[in-house]
Amino acid sequence: IAAWSMGLSLFAYSLLAVSGGWMFFARHNKQKRPKWLRPFHYIIGRIMVFLVIFLMAIGLVGTIGYYGNLGHSAHLPAGLTVVTLVLVSAWSTTQINSKQPWARSLHITTNIILLFSFATVSLTGWSVVQKYLP
């Protein structure tokens, strides 16, 4: 389940990058964007927030169940970083709608950092998965 959820999270991130990039370029080139694009971006974003929190729950419960404690690998801080960045990104979206001038740049910067954090959590997660396999 965790592998599928992680794959879906990465797919959602990719969809968000494409749809967000589309909105960014349309805004900067003063072009119209399709009416469905913004709601699509929000829906996929909510799905990604759910998936990342779900993955965190699976990881915490599975790790405590298997090892009896947390913190035996770099995957925990990498995962907590991803969760934090996803939540900051989601929160910053609510500030964009309230016309806060800093919110859009925070949202974009957070999501660029999230790309590298997803890569890190994927690599550290692979080493954790290897410990579970016989």
Side-chain angles (χ1 to χ4, degrees):
I1 291 177
W4 280 97
S5 298
M6 186 62 189
L8 287 173
S9 295
L10 294 173
F11 181 64
Y13 179 82
S14 299
L15 289 175
L16 288 166
V18 169
S19 61
W22 189 350
M23 289 190 292
F24 178 83
F25 288 113
R27 183 174 46 263
H28 284 281
N29 294 325
K30 297 184 183 354
Q31 295 176 345
K32 286 189 135 191
R33 62 177 182 250
K35 291 186 184 232
W36 58 266
L37 186 58
R38 184 180 232 169
F40 174 79
H41 192 75
Y42 286 157
I43 289 167
I44 299 301
R46 288 182 183 129
I47 290 170
M48 191 173 85
V49 168
F50 169 78
L51 288 169
V52 167
I53 291 172
F54 179 65
L55 278 164
M56 181 181 68
I58 289 173
L60 292 175
V61 170
T63 302
I64 291 172
Y66 191 80
Y67 289 104
N69 61 29
L70 297 172
H72 64 279
S73 76
H75 191 60
L76 177 64
L80 291 175
T81 300
V82 167
V83 171
T84 301
L85 288 169
V86 166
L87 293 176
V88 167
S89 177
W91 172 79
S92 67
T93 319
T94 65
Q95 301 306 303
I96 292 171
N97 292 335
S98 4
K99 306 287 187 204
Q100 298 296 331
W102 48 265
R104 183 169 277 118
S105 62
L106 175 63
H107 183 70
I108 293 168
T109 302
T110 301
N111 286 304
I112 291 169
I113 297 168
L114 188 57
L115 172 66
F116 299 103
S117 298
F118 260 134
T120 302
V121 85
S122 296
L123 292 172
T124 59
W126 182 252
S127 67
V128 169
V129 167
Q130 298 305 308
K131 293 177 184 178
Y132 286 104
L133 297 175

